[in-house]
Amino acid sequence: MADQASGLTIEALLSEDRTFPPSSEFRAQALVSSEDIYAEAEADLEGFWARQAEQIDWFQPYDKVLEWNPPYAKWFLGGKLNISYNCLDRHVQNGGGEKVAYYWEGESGETRTITYAQLLEDVCRCANALKSLGVRKGDRVAIYLPMIPELPVAMLACARIGAPHTAVFAGFSAESLSDRMNDCDAKLLITADGGIRKGSVVPLKKNSDEALKTSPSVEHVLLVKRTGEDVAVQEGRDLWWHDVVSEQPAECEPEALDSEDMLYLLYTSGTTAKPKGIVHTTAGYLLGAMTTHKLVFDIKPDDVYWCAADVGWVTGHSYIVYGPLANHTTGVMYEGVPDFPARDRWWSIVEKYKVTVLYTAPTAIRAHMKWGPQHAEAHDLSSLRLLGSVGEPINPEAWLWYYRHIGGERCPVVDTWWQTETGMIMITPLPGITTLKPGSATRPFPGVEADVVDEQGNSVPLGGAGYLVIKKPWPAMLRGIYGDPERYQQTYWSRYPGMYFPGDGAKRDEDGYFWLLGRVDDVMNVSGHRISTMEVESALVSDSRVAEAAVIGQRDDLTGEAIFAFVILRGDVESEKGLGEELRQYVATKIGAIARPKRIMFTPELPKTRSGKIMRRLLRDIANDRQLGDTTTLADTSVVETIREASTASKGDE
Ligand code: PRX
C-alpha cells in the first residue's frame, strides 16, 4: 500500500498468500531446526560469526573478530589461513581424499570424476606452474575459461599462492576481457583454445589474442586444450597447460595468508558505467560462503549438490567452488546449455548423478516452464530433496512450477537474495524452519540486518515497500571497488550514510517477509505511483498461457509513464486476437487498475545479459524510440533488433 505521508517510494500491489511450511520429515533431519539461531546472532553478532569460524582451519588464530570503520570492515584480524587448504588438504588429511569433489559432464557427454585427493594434486601442480611463470603473492591472474575442471583448479591454485584471481565469464567478448585485465593489471591469463556451447566452438584463444593487443600487463598465457582446434601460439608468451602444469610436482606448500588478503576480484557491470572490480578477501568471504552453503542448502555428507550457474559468476565462485569444497561436498559441474542435445538434458543429469540439491536461476526455470513439464517427467527426479533459486526475483508462478514439476511437491524451494558485492546469500529461507511463500526470499540470514526504508532512510512499516538496505557489516561483504574508493563510497554508502544500499527495491509483508522488487532503476512511475516492474510481470506470468514477461515504463503524455509489457507465451499457446486485451484486464483484476498495461507485445525472446537477467533498459530504449544504450553485456544482439522491428510494425495496431 502506498503511504504518501511517510514518503514511501514503491507501491506494493501483488499479494501472494499461499504458504508452504516445512514437512515434519524435512524438519526432523535439517541442520537448523530451531528459530534460536536468529536470536543468538542478533544478541551477539560477533560471537555468532566467531562460533561459525570454528569450522575454519587457521594457521594462526585471529585476535579480533571485527573492526568496523564504515564503509570499511575487517574481519578476523590477525588470523592466518589458506582457502585452498581449507577446501582440499584438510579433507584429504582427515581421510576424505577419495570422496568425489566434482562429477564433471561435458556438453557432448564425456565425463570426468575428480576426487578431493586428485583435485588437491591438480591444484598443487597448477600453483607450482604459476610460480614457475613468475606469479607471486599479490599478482593478479585473469581466468577466461569455459566450464571445465581446470577453472576451479586455476582459482584454487591462485588462492594457494595468494595471487588474486579475476575470472571473466567465457561468454564475454575480447573487449570486455581486455578492459578487466587492464583495470587490474593482470600479469597472467589462463584460457583455453576454445569452449563448447550448443555444439559449436567459442573461440576463446582468438578472443584472448584480440584482447591481449590492448592488455600490455599480461606476460604469459597459460592455455588449456579443450576443443583441439588449431590456434595461434605465440612463442615465449603462450604455454600449453599440458606441458607446463603436468610436469610440476604434486605438492605445493599453501601460503599462510592474512584474513584480509585479497582472494579475488570479480567485475560486475553497472547499468552504464565501466564495470566495477568487486574486491573479496580471505577469511570473512570463506566463512560467509561456507556457512550459508551449509545451512541454506542443508548440506549433509552424502548430498550430491548441483549449482547450475557458471563458475565465471559470483554464484559459481561462492557456491560451486569455495563454499561447497570447504564443506567437503560432492558437486556436479556441467559444461553446456540446458537444451543440448535436447530439452531434457538437465533432468537426465539429475537422474544420472542422483542429484539431491539443485540451485539455479529463475530465467532457467522459466525456460523449462516454456518448454513444458514433459521433459522433466521423462526422468526419475526422486533423488532431489531441496531446490534453490538466485539471480532475479522469482515469480510466484515460476516458483510453483519448480516446486511441483521438479521438486515433486516434496522439496523446499529456497529463494536466495544476494549479489556479487555481498559474496554470500543474505536473504533466504532456512529450509528446516521457514514457512515458504512463493516469490519471497523470506528473511535475512542470521546475523544479517536488512531493512526496507523510504527516501529519508526511515524504516517502512510492515506491509510497505521501499529500498532494501543492510545495516550491519557481514563477513563476506565486499571490501571495496578495486582502485576506486570514491566510487565504492558513492555507489553503496552515500544514499543512506552508514547503511549499505544494494540498489534493489523490496517490500515486507505483515509477517516481516521480504519480497524483492528488482533494481530500483526498473521502477515505473505511472500517474505518480511508483510501481515495480516485477509485480506486473509476476501477475502476467500467473496466467497459465504466459511463460515470461518483461515490463517497462513508456513515456506517456497523460500518465508520465505507461506500462508496456513484452510477453513470451508458453510453447503450445497461439497468440489469438484478443489475448492481449484479456491479459491487460487480467493484470487489472489481479493487482489493480493502476497496473493495467497500456500495451502488450508478444515476442519469442527477450534481451538478456549473459547471466540471464532481462535488460529492461534496452526495452525502454526501444519503447521510447531512443537510441540503444550500451549493448556489450547482451547475450544475443539480434533479439533487440527483432523486437524493435516488431514494435515499430505493431504501433498502428492498438
Ligand atoms: O537485483 C538483485 C538480483 O540480482 C542482483 C545481483 O546480481 P549479481 O551481482 O549478478 O549476483 C547474482 C547472483 C547472486 C541483485 O541486486 N537478485 C539476485 N538474487 C535475487 C535477486 N533479486 C530477487 N531475488 C533474488 N533471489
Side-chain angles (χ1 to χ4, degrees):
M1 268 153 292
D3 176 353
Q4 302 298 344
S6 72
L8 273 195
T9 41
I10 307 172
E11 303 196 17
L13 300 171
L14 198 65
S15 86
E16 171 58 65
D17 41 27
R18 289 166 281 197
T19 56
F20 297 81
S23 67
S24 47
E25 299 85 56
F26 196 97
R27 188 179 194 122
Q29 60 79 60
L31 288 177
V32 180
S33 56
S34 150
E35 294 273 333
D36 295 349
I37 190 169
Y38 291 104
E40 186 202 324
E42 200 177 323
D44 177 9
L45 179 78
E46 293 185 27
F48 171 76
W49 285 115
R51 274 189 297 284
Q52 300 301 326
E54 289 166 14
Q55 306 166 83
I56 292 179
D57 276 37
W58 300 90
F59 294 153
Q60 179 182 306
Y62 60 87
D63 32 55
K64 190 170 178 203
V65 176
L66 170 67
E67 188 181 281
W68 177 223
N69 293 315
Y72 292 100
K74 289 184 179 163
W75 284 85
F76 305 108
L77 291 87
K80 301 266 186 249
L81 71 163
N82 185 283
I83 290 198
S84 84
Y85 180 89
N86 274 275
C87 288
L88 304 168
D89 306 58
R90 61 169 176 165
H91 304 315
V92 175
Q93 285 162 20
N94 291 339
E98 290 317 304
K99 183 167 181 177
V100 173
Y102 292 118
Y103 289 113
W104 177 82
E105 173 142 329
E107 193 184 72
S108 56
E110 62 210 282
T111 57
R112 281 162 74 178
T113 299
I114 301 160
T115 63
Y116 273 85
Q118 282 164 344
L119 191 59
L120 173 60
E121 285 193 11
D122 291 347
V123 167
C124 287
R125 286 203 172 90
C126 181
N128 287 325
L130 296 181
K131 287 199 219 169
S132 78
L133 293 171
V135 178
R136 298 283 170 265
K137 182 179 169 206
D139 290 340
R140 274 81 55 214
V141 173
I143 304 177
Y144 183 55
L145 285 173
M147 279 286 281
I148 53 177
E150 286 78 2
L151 175 48
V153 168
M155 290 163 66
L156 290 157
C158 289
R160 196 162 188 91
I161 64 171
H165 55 73
T166 186
V168 179
F169 171 57
F172 276 129
S173 63
E175 194 183 326
S176 309
L177 173 62
S178 174
D179 286 349
R180 287 159 173 75
M181 292 195 293
N182 291 343
D183 188 74
C184 68
D185 281 319
K187 187 165 185 179
L188 179 84
L189 168 64
I190 306 179
T191 187
D193 47 0
I196 293 170
R197 198 183 154 75
K198 244 188 161 152
S200 4
V201 167
V202 184
L204 297 178
K205 178 61 166 61
K206 201 161 147 258
N207 292 349
S208 300
D209 286 338
E210 194 56 37
L212 287 164
K213 286 184 191 159
T214 49
S215 297
S217 61
V218 176
E219 295 171 7
H220 290 289
V221 178
L222 190 54
L223 195 52
V224 179
K225 190 176 260 196
R226 168 68 193 118
T227 57
E229 81 220 67
D230 270 346
V231 289
V233 175
Q234 187 176 311
E235 192 75 25
R237 186 194 70 180
D238 304 349
L239 301 129
W240 285 106
W241 176 291
H242 55 259
D243 291 336
V244 181
V245 175
S246 317
E247 67 181 24
Q248 298 291 332
E251 280 169 18
C252 171
E253 196 58 30
E255 191 85 27
L257 298 172
D258 190 88
S259 290
E260 284 298 328
D261 275 338
M262 199 197 305
L263 171 66
Y264 69 79
L265 272 170
L266 192 59
Y267 285 84
T268 173
S269 24
T271 24
T272 47
K274 80 174 178 115
K276 307 183 279 276
I278 303 299
V279 176
H280 283 294
T281 57
T282 301
Y285 173 78
L286 173 66
L287 183 66
M290 70 190 287
T291 309
T292 49
H293 175 255
K294 192 171 197 167
L295 302 186
V296 172
F297 300 110
D298 189 45
I299 292 295
K300 310 287 171 36
D302 53 358
D303 271 312
V304 178
Y305 160 88
W306 181 20
C307 168
D310 193 288
V311 170
W313 307 117
V314 75
T315 307
H317 283 51
S318 297
Y319 299 109
I320 298 179
V321 182
Y322 293 116
L325 293 177
N327 289 329
H328 199 204
T329 307
T330 292
V332 170
M333 192 175 162
Y334 169 56
E335 180 186 38
V337 296
D339 53 347
F340 189 89
R343 290 175 168 175
D344 68 341
R345 183 62 186 272
W346 273 21
W347 316 123
S348 77
I349 293 176
V350 170
E351 181 171 15
K352 177 171 172 188
Y353 297 101
K354 300 200 168 35
V355 171
T356 57
V357 178
L358 173 66
Y359 190 31
T360 184
T363 182
I365 298 164
R366 289 189 304 254
H368 288 294
M369 220 168 122
K370 184 171 130 189
W371 299 333
Q374 66 278 15
H375 307 290
E377 280 159 10
H379 294 275
D380 177 6
L381 307 185
S382 61
S383 55
L384 287 170
R385 65 178 197 90
L386 179 68
L387 302 174
S389 169
V390 61
E392 276 183 291
I394 180 164
N395 325 106
E397 230 36 58
W399 192 104
L400 286 162
W401 191 93
Y402 194 31
Y403 179 76
R404 276 192 198 121
H405 295 290
I406 307 307
E409 300 190 358
R410 75 183 175 274
C411 307
V413 175
V414 290
D415 173 15
T416 62
W417 177 89
W418 59 296
Q419 306 179 295
T420 303
E421 292 87 338
T422 69
M424 63 180 235
I425 292 171
M426 300 290 279
I427 304 183
T428 177
L430 290 175
I433 55 175
T434 311
T435 291
L436 305 170
K437 299 186 187 183
S440 170
T442 74
R443 292 168 70 177
F445 188 79
V448 171
E449 194 182 324
D451 198 358
V452 176
V453 298
D454 63 19
E455 297 284 355
Q456 287 73 42
N458 303 312
S459 194
V460 168
L462 295 187
Y467 302 104
L468 180 66
V469 292
I470 313 288
K471 292 179 151 170
K472 290 212 176 116
W474 64 101
M477 68 191 277
L478 75 168
R479 301 301 198 259
I481 296 178
Y482 190 72
D484 203 343
E486 260 163 54
R487 193 169 174 205
Y488 172 61
Q489 164 78 36
Q490 182 59 33
T491 312
Y492 305 109
W493 302 94
S494 63
R495 187 161 183 152
Y496 305 111
M499 298 185 213
Y500 172 77
F501 175 55
D504 281 9
K507 70 176 178 188
R508 236 173 344 184
D509 67 17
E510 306 295 343
D511 298 328
Y513 275 44
F514 285 71
W515 299 74
L516 278 303
L517 297 174
R519 307 293 299 164
V520 291
D521 312 342
D522 285 337
V523 168
M524 302 170 289
N525 192 330
V526 182
S527 307
H529 298 270
R530 303 202 65 199
I531 298 174
S532 132
T533 53
M534 190 262 153
E535 294 202 308
V536 181
E537 288 161 7
S538 282
L540 284 162
V541 176
S542 72
D543 184 289
S544 59
R545 293 163 294 188
V546 175
E548 182 150 32
V551 165
I552 51 128
Q554 182 176 32
R555 225 178 17 248
D556 189 275
D557 291 342
L558 200 61
T559 55
E561 279 187 326
I563 300 178
F564 186 167
F566 296 82
V567 169
I568 301 184
L569 294 173
R570 290 206 197 182
D572 50 348
V573 178
E574 296 285 326
S575 110
E576 297 162 4
K577 200 165 168 30
L579 179 56
E581 182 47 39
E582 249 185 78
L583 290 175
R584 292 175 61 231
Q585 191 47 43
Y586 177 69
V587 174
T589 316
K590 185 135 176 106
I591 56 177
I594 183 73
R596 183 202 318 263
K598 182 158 181 195
R599 199 171 157 204
I600 287 191
M601 194 180 123
F602 296 101
T603 171
E605 271 309 330
L606 288 168
K608 291 187 180 166
T609 63
R610 291 176 178 82
S611 63
K613 291 192 168 78
I614 298 170
M615 292 182 76
R616 292 182 190 75
R617 169 170 70 75
L618 295 180
L619 293 172
R620 274 199 299 271
D621 290 344
I622 294 175
N624 292 307
D625 289 326
R626 287 192 302 247
Q627 227 189 330
L628 289 188
D630 183 8
T631 54
T632 47
T633 50
L634 192 60
D636 176 357
T637 41
S638 66
V639 172
V640 274
E641 280 321 314
T642 316
I643 296 177
R644 192 198 276 283
E645 280 160 27
S647 164
T648 317
S650 72
K651 260 190 192 148
D653 303 347
E654 290 139 38

